[in-house]
Amino acid sequence: MAYRGGGGHAKPPSTPLSSVNPGSFSTCTTHSHNICMVSDFFYPNMGGVESHIYQLSQCLIQRGHKVIIVTHAYGDRKGIRYLTNGLKVYYLPLKVMYNQSTATTLFHSLPLLRYIFVRERVTIVHSHSSFSSMAHDALFHAKTMGLHTVFTDHSLFGFADVSSVLTNKLLTVSLCDTNHIICVSYTSKENTVLRAALNPEIVSVIPNAVDPTDFTPDPFRRHDSITIVVISRLVYRKGTDLLCGIIPELCQKYQNLNFIIGGEGPKRIILEEVRERYQLHDRVRLLGALEHKDVRDVLVQGHIFLNTSLTEAFCMAIVEAASCGLQVVSTKVGGIPEVLPESLIVLCEPSVKSLCEGLEKAIFQLKSGTLPTPENIHSVVKTFYTWRNVAQRTEKVYELVLKEDVLPMDKRLNRLISHCGSVTGHIFALLAVLNYMFLIFLRWITPDSIIDVAIDATGPRGAWTHHCPPSEKRDENKKVSKTR
Amino acid sequence: MEDERVFSDICGGRLALQCRSYSPYCREFCVSCPRLSLRSLTAVTCSVWLAAYGLFALCEVAPGEGTPRPGARGRDGGVSAGTAFCVDLRGGGGFQFGAQPGQPVTEQNPVLKCKKGWRCSSLYRPWVQATQGVSLQSLVTRLIFLQQKVIYYLCILLKDPLEPHNVSQVVPVFQSAKPRLDCLIHVYKSCQEVLAHQKATSTRP
């Protein structure tokens, strides 16, 4: 799991992330924490980050921690809502700027976030996604308030273009004084360490997971002809252009080959053009946007799952497909080679030619009957990535973080100036000072003592949760360790 | 039996809760808070006079005019000062609708009479009182964002006489006083006691 520096042993790409030993994080935890997850991306928006935050929060609640989520309002969904098991979600009335990310001035969210952190007695602020400005704002304010901070990066980013340079600079500023950073794969860790100029010792790798009970195989629902399933957003980053090249070539070569494509996006028009031009209406089905509950029903109709992503930190879609018993063919980009063992995935270069070869190889294996049965694939995959395991590992990171000191203001300013360059460092040091003065002003206007302490829905004194006693929890820890 | 307790509102101001118990079925809750404090009066007066001074300064250096016409400066100053005086006086009067500075004014008098339902009275001035009689289903606390704060609200759920099991309306109480959670919990528990007593007597053969 976590790369703890020192030895500097890099993981071989073929070994799945799930099989890595937790190393120094082997001790069982009994302390409960008050955790605040912050991100612009949460339900009702759908995606990997949203799912990760929800599932991780649920597992942490089950392990006896108090968890709240802070995100921005989505349409009419504003205010405070309770989800399953008393998971409290604050939908803050902040304006969305671009792509579900809120506009930031670095200061305007301080009053509300400070009020929430104080009333919920938050001890750890855990922000998610480098594209979320609210996550960075929360980190900035939490550090000003002297709270412990953890950040999870879910994506890969470039280095060359102007936008990347600027974004990476902001990431450097945001993460230079953050206590701990979590990445979802070793490739993602390498990317984040380089982008934000971080010490690798404070970056851990904890992969995503799937709920194996949601993704079970059903061979009786498979079509008679060979069916290739593609489920992804139809955008450039997901390699929809490659898919447009693959479809006519393989349909011409194999008469009993069909495609089922789930997902929506701006590149759908290109797929429709291809279908029109080659008259493939009866062989290529475009399902449009799918709800998460419908994904399994689509997956089990196919034999092969195709992923054409051009960049991916950790591809949950291929784990879900493998859990449904499909043979996976995927591009060899980002963290994908780390996700599944070689026996369950055919890796290809991100080109039409290579992907066609990979698919032909999978079709040949399917016809010759050399592929493992869907049940066998499922039974192997279901032990790889579980949310309980992810929660347990994240809990160890929290334990580690709480042992560290939060940087006092003078050291924080020194860190910003020495780590982020003289110009950027001085600018953000000034902003940190202004933020601190704003905090003092807010404390004068509304002292912490007159802020009502929230009634806990989760955690040790939670009104909703009935978490297991410590002895039972220890037994669970043992069970989880055995599954690794 | 009368019981008075002191709590605070969400800004830390003093707030008194009077609880009168007439019978096991009837309790009255009255939240009193000073409507006008010296601090707010000073702040409002200062800001009005600063705005008037700003207006006067702007009129004095109007663009495109070299030297002000004779008497113009005095006239502009007089208008600004007069406006500020009127605003201040009018605002002060508005504040003092029902009380002198520092004196408590009853904002709301929700009275629980279980046999007749819930009566919510709002006392705007000593001589004006609006009363709403409703059928009570239950009480709930809600969490809302108020400006840059997250506060608890006590709400009563109203019963629809045609469909007694459905909630027809949610009415927030103590809206202007904004008491803190400990005060709301006290009211909530007292109301639940009355409701429980009513339920017990109604189910008794």
Side-chain angles (χ1 to χ4, degrees):
Chain A
M1 195 198 88
Y3 177 89
R4 306 298 308 154
H9 52 281
K11 279 288 305 150
S14 58
T15 312
L17 282 165
S18 59
S19 63
V20 185
N21 198 294
S24 61
F25 292 160
S26 57
T27 51
C28 164
T29 160
T30 49
H31 304 293
S32 66
H33 313 299
N34 294 348
I35 304 148
C36 177
M37 305 274 183
V38 188
S39 182
D40 274 315
F41 311 113
F42 192 65
Y43 296 138
N45 203 41
M46 295 298 292
V49 180
E50 292 83 347
S51 170
H52 180 103
I53 295 171
Y54 176 78
Q55 297 282 2
L56 177 60
S57 303
Q58 288 292 345
C59 285
L60 287 170
I61 287 170
Q62 281 174 6
R63 294 184 65 79
H65 302 288
K66 175 183 169 179
V67 186
I68 60 160
I69 294 173
V70 176
T71 185
H72 66 77
Y74 283 88
D76 290 340
R77 189 178 282 254
K78 59 179 83 165
I80 296 112
R81 304 267 183 129
Y82 286 93
L83 303 187
T84 311
N85 293 329
L87 176 60
K88 191 191 282 184
V89 186
Y90 287 87
Y91 290 95
L92 304 191
L94 300 175
K95 290 284 174 202
V96 173
M97 181 177 60
Y98 173 70
N99 211 5
Q100 290 302 339
S101 192
T102 45
T104 178
T105 57
L106 218 55
F107 300 113
H108 76 292
S109 55
L110 177 62
L112 210 43
L113 284 175
R114 177 233 166 196
Y115 212 93
I116 292 168
F117 293 160
V118 172
R119 75 189 299 278
E120 297 285 352
R121 298 291 185 260
V122 169
T123 51
I124 296 169
V125 175
H126 189 165
S127 294
H128 291 262
S129 182
S130 50
F131 297 127
S132 165
S133 54
M134 185 192 274
H136 294 299
D137 275 8
L139 285 180
F140 195 69
H141 301 325
K143 284 177 267 191
T144 308
M145 291 174 69
L147 299 173
H148 292 90
T149 47
V150 177
F151 177 77
T152 297
D153 199 357
H154 293 260
S155 8
L156 300 177
F157 216 67
F159 300 91
D161 54 308
V162 178
S163 72
S164 302
V165 171
L166 288 172
T167 314
N168 293 345
K169 196 65 179 173
L170 289 175
L171 194 72
T172 310
V173 172
S174 185
L175 299 189
C176 73
D177 46 1
T178 301
N179 290 106
H180 210 90
I181 292 102
I182 297 171
C183 293
V184 291
S185 64
Y186 285 92
T187 309
S188 171
K189 173 180 173 175
E190 193 179 330
N191 184 265
T192 307
V193 166
L194 290 171
R195 281 160 61 205
L198 291 169
N199 174 10
E201 289 189 9
I202 62 159
V203 186
S204 297
V205 177
I206 302 176
N208 275 322
V210 294
D211 188 350
T213 56
D214 283 349
F215 295 94
T216 50
D218 187 359
F220 298 108
R221 291 184 61 186
R222 283 186 167 185
H223 293 274
D224 295 333
S225 56
I226 298 169
T227 306
I228 296 173
V229 179
V230 180
I231 296 180
S232 77
R233 280 176 289 123
L234 302 179
V235 294
Y236 170 76
R237 196 175 72 80
K238 296 289 181 182
T240 312
D241 300 282
L242 292 175
L243 186 60
C244 293
I246 294 162
I247 290 171
E249 197 168 323
L250 284 181
C251 284
Q252 201 175 12
K253 209 165 185 177
Y254 298 93
Q255 291 306 312
N256 63 338
L257 183 72
N258 293 324
F259 281 87
I260 298 177
I261 301 168
E264 196 58 74
K267 293 277 182 184
R268 182 188 169 114
I269 187 84
I270 309 172
L271 279 171
E272 283 176 352
E273 275 175 17
V274 169
R275 194 168 65 162
E276 192 76 36
R277 189 184 304 154
Y278 294 95
Q279 296 295 307
L280 296 170
H281 293 87
D282 54 337
R283 297 178 66 184
V284 178
R285 279 171 57 201
L286 295 174
L287 303 177
L290 291 175
E291 282 192 37
H292 193 254
K293 65 180 173 58
D294 300 327
V295 170
R296 185 251 173 191
D297 292 337
V298 176
L299 283 172
V300 294
Q301 294 174 35
H303 300 84
I304 298 166
F305 181 81
L306 175 63
N307 173 53
T308 56
S309 293
L310 300 178
T311 166
E312 203 77 69
F314 179 96
C315 189
M316 284 171 88
I318 60 173
V319 184
E320 289 169 356
S323 183
C324 287
L326 277 76
Q327 173 64 33
V328 176
V329 177
S330 175
T331 46
K332 193 180 178 179
V333 294
I336 289 175
E338 303 170 38
V339 176
L340 290 172
E342 281 170 359
S343 58
L344 298 179
I345 188 168
V346 178
L347 291 168
C348 316
E349 293 304 317
S351 66
V352 173
K353 185 173 174 248
S354 178
L355 281 164
C356 285
E357 285 170 4
L359 283 168
E360 284 183 57
K361 185 182 168 188
I363 291 166
F364 174 75
Q365 286 176 336
L366 185 71
K367 283 181 173 172
S368 61
T370 52
L371 285 180
T373 61
E375 284 78 13
N376 283 347
I377 298 175
H378 175 74
S379 59
V380 172
V381 172
K382 75 176 181 187
T383 58
F384 283 173
Y385 304 106
T386 60
W387 285 112
R388 188 179 286 187
N389 190 287
V390 171
Q392 203 182 355
R393 292 172 172 196
T394 311
E395 200 176 49
K396 309 286 184 202
V397 170
Y398 294 154
E399 293 285 329
L400 197 73
V401 161
L402 285 176
K403 285 178 192 159
E404 295 174 10
D405 293 327
V406 180
L407 287 180
M409 188 45 103
D410 55 335
K411 286 185 181 170
R412 192 180 165 206
L413 297 181
N414 281 338
R415 177 77 64 87
L416 279 166
I417 292 165
S418 63
H419 200 264
C420 307
S422 56
V423 177
T424 316
H426 278 97
I427 290 170
F428 278 91
L430 178 66
L431 292 172
V433 171
L434 290 176
N435 203 43
Y436 187 66
M437 287 164 71
F438 189 27
L439 178 70
I440 290 171
F441 173 72
L442 290 172
R443 280 180 177 160
W444 176 68
I445 292 286
T446 316
D448 289 358
S449 57
I450 67 162
I451 296 176
D452 278 327
V453 180
I455 297 168
D456 291 352
T458 57
R461 290 186 300 277
W464 290 36
T465 47
H466 305 282
H467 64 276
C468 53
S471 60
E472 203 175 316
K473 202 163 137 181
R474 272 195 293 277
D475 292 343
E476 264 184 28
N477 284 344
K478 281 178 193 167
K479 277 183 204 167
V480 173
S481 313
K482 278 178 192 169
T483 62
R484 283 208 203 102
Chain B
M1 193 176 70
E2 187 172 332
D3 173 29
E4 182 165 339
R5 292 180 186 218
V6 176
F7 294 97
S8 63
D9 65 9
I10 57 165
C11 298
R14 189 180 165 279
L15 187 143
L17 174 72
Q18 283 178 318
C19 176
R20 289 193 194 95
S21 185
Y22 299 109
S23 75
Y25 305 102
C26 181
R27 277 184 202 180
E28 180 182 1
F29 301 97
C30 172
V31 172
S32 313
C33 60
R35 175 168 275 193
L36 194 61
S37 67
L38 188 65
R39 194 169 68 166
S40 61
L41 181 71
T42 313
V44 169
T45 309
C46 286
S47 44
V48 166
W49 281 101
L50 276 173
Y53 180 76
L55 196 69
F56 170 69
L58 276 175
C59 290
E60 193 184 25
V61 279
E65 286 186 20
T67 51
R69 292 189 307 275
R73 181 183 290 185
R75 195 164 58 241
D76 289 346
V79 169
S80 302
T83 310
F85 183 72
C86 288
V87 167
D88 214 11
L89 201 65
R90 180 75 185 156
F95 266 116
Q96 294 185 47
F97 254 89
Q100 297 301 313
Q103 276 190 346
V105 169
T106 310
E107 295 279 340
Q108 277 182 320
N109 265 352
V111 181
L112 189 67
K113 285 186 178 173
C114 282
K115 285 192 174 171
K116 289 182 179 175
W118 176 276
R119 206 183 80 208
C120 190
S121 307
S122 301
L123 198 65
Y124 298 108
R125 296 165 220 168
W127 59 92
V128 177
Q129 180 174 330
T131 302
Q132 189 188 7
V134 289
S135 299
L136 174 67
Q137 174 98 333
S138 185
L139 282 104
V140 289
T141 49
R142 288 179 75 187
L143 266 172
I144 60 154
F145 291 120
L146 182 83
Q147 292 156 357
Q148 298 294 322
K149 291 173 181 166
V150 185
I151 64 162
Y152 281 103
Y153 246 68
L154 191 67
C155 296
I156 50 175
L157 306 182
L158 304 187
K159 215 188 294 186
D160 187 353
L162 299 174
E163 294 176 63
H165 297 294
N166 287 353
V167 175
S168 64
Q169 208 182 340
V170 180
V171 180
V173 290
F174 307 137
Q175 264 186 304
S176 47
K178 296 184 190 66
R180 282 181 64 184
L181 185 62
D182 49 357
C183 176
L184 297 180
I185 287 174
H186 184 76
V187 176
Y188 180 85
K189 281 184 176 169
S190 298
C191 291
Q192 289 297 347
E193 277 173 23
V194 176
L195 287 172
H197 194 85
Q198 186 206 20
K199 198 175 275 183
T201 49
S202 64
T203 52
R204 203 175 292 158

